Amino acid sequence: MEQLIDLLPLLGQSTFETLYIVGLALFFGGLGGLVLGLGLYTTRRGSFLSNGPVFTALNVLVNIFRPIPFIIFLAAAQPLARLVVGTGIGNDAIIFTLSLAAAFGISRIVEQNLLTVQPGVIEAARAMGAGPLRIIFTLLIPEALGPLILGYTFIFVALVDMSAVAGYIGGGGLGNFAIQYGYRLFNPTVTWAAVIIIILLVQLVQWAGNTVARRVMRR
């Protein structure tokens, strides 16, 4: 317990780093996943921007990258991280890689939730002369907003799990703290302190996501 007290400032810093890494990864990955998911939905057969070649290309792209285990994806994407963010190690590299991995996962969540919107509603909007952008931003996304919030909440929890491997490329966060000062120094108290904070973070975000989604769906 005395070791944990000595490490409290570092534990606080690691908690902030986890929120920083996961928050930015969810933001950038969320935007990328939304664009990819909208592309998959709108270009599929029978949709209002149906385009077979584009849908096939997007579908294949997502199917290739989404199943790759994150620890392998982390190593494979390192050259691309160097090219885009200027470094293959540290928090910037893990944020870039997490964002990329999250975008492919989120795209399927977006596509599946958009498919729950009644086609008749979209057909009625098209019959009234609404263009594609108006349908997307005033009808499609608002109609699926509640399930989308739950989907993004699920991805937040997954990103917290994936951020635990940040230490392998020199990044920080609670996962790296637990491994460096708990597991490797044979101090289970330190490990469990990090685990408890992760559990509390996940519970808090899940509660917030459920609450917001419930209010949106009751409108």
Side-chain angles (χ1 to χ4, degrees):
M1 182 58 76
E2 289 181 0
Q3 289 177 318
L4 176 60
I5 293 173
D6 293 338
L7 290 170
L8 280 179
L10 196 54
L11 180 60
Q13 180 185 336
S14 299
T15 303
F16 172 78
E17 284 181 331
T18 291
L19 291 173
Y20 173 74
I21 291 169
V22 173
L24 286 181
L26 184 63
F27 177 75
F28 292 118
L31 285 178
L34 183 62
V35 172
L36 270 175
L38 281 169
L40 285 166
Y41 174 82
T42 57
T43 59
R44 66 188 301 114
R45 182 182 298 175
S47 190
F48 54 91
L49 291 175
S50 178
N51 187 314
V54 174
F55 174 78
T56 301
L58 291 176
N59 197 41
V60 169
L61 182 71
V62 172
N63 284 344
I64 288 174
F65 287 101
R66 196 167 66 98
I68 300 175
F70 184 65
I71 190 68
I72 298 173
F73 189 81
L74 189 65
Q78 205 167 26
L80 186 60
R82 286 197 190 95
L83 185 67
V84 176
V85 299
T87 178
I89 60 173
N91 287 340
D92 288 345
I94 190 75
I95 289 169
F96 172 79
T97 312
L98 273 174
S99 301
L100 203 56
F104 293 117
I106 289 173
S107 66
R108 283 298 183 205
I109 291 176
V110 171
E111 180 194 19
Q112 289 165 9
N113 284 317
L114 294 181
L115 285 171
T116 64
V117 178
Q118 293 295 324
V121 179
I122 297 172
E123 289 302 321
R126 293 180 68 185
M128 294 173 68
L133 287 179
R134 189 172 181 183
I135 292 175
I136 289 171
F137 291 109
T138 65
L139 180 65
L140 200 55
I141 292 178
E143 284 289 323
L145 189 57
L148 283 175
I149 291 172
L150 291 176
Y152 275 75
T153 303
F154 171 80
I155 290 296
F156 176 90
V157 176
L159 288 175
V160 171
D161 290 342
M162 290 192 288
S163 73
V165 302
Y168 284 104
I169 60 168
L174 288 167
N176 183 50
F177 175 86
I179 293 171
Q180 290 282 355
Y181 300 97
Y183 176 73
R184 290 181 179 169
L185 297 181
F186 306 102
N187 194 332
T189 304
V190 172
T191 304
W192 275 102
V195 170
I196 289 170
I197 291 177
I198 290 173
I199 292 171
L200 290 175
L201 283 177
V202 168
Q203 293 296 320
L204 181 63
V205 171
Q206 188 67 58
W207 171 80
N210 289 345
T211 302
V212 174
R214 191 164 51 245
R215 289 181 180 177
V216 168
M217 287 188 283
R218 283 179 179 172
R219 289 180 307 178

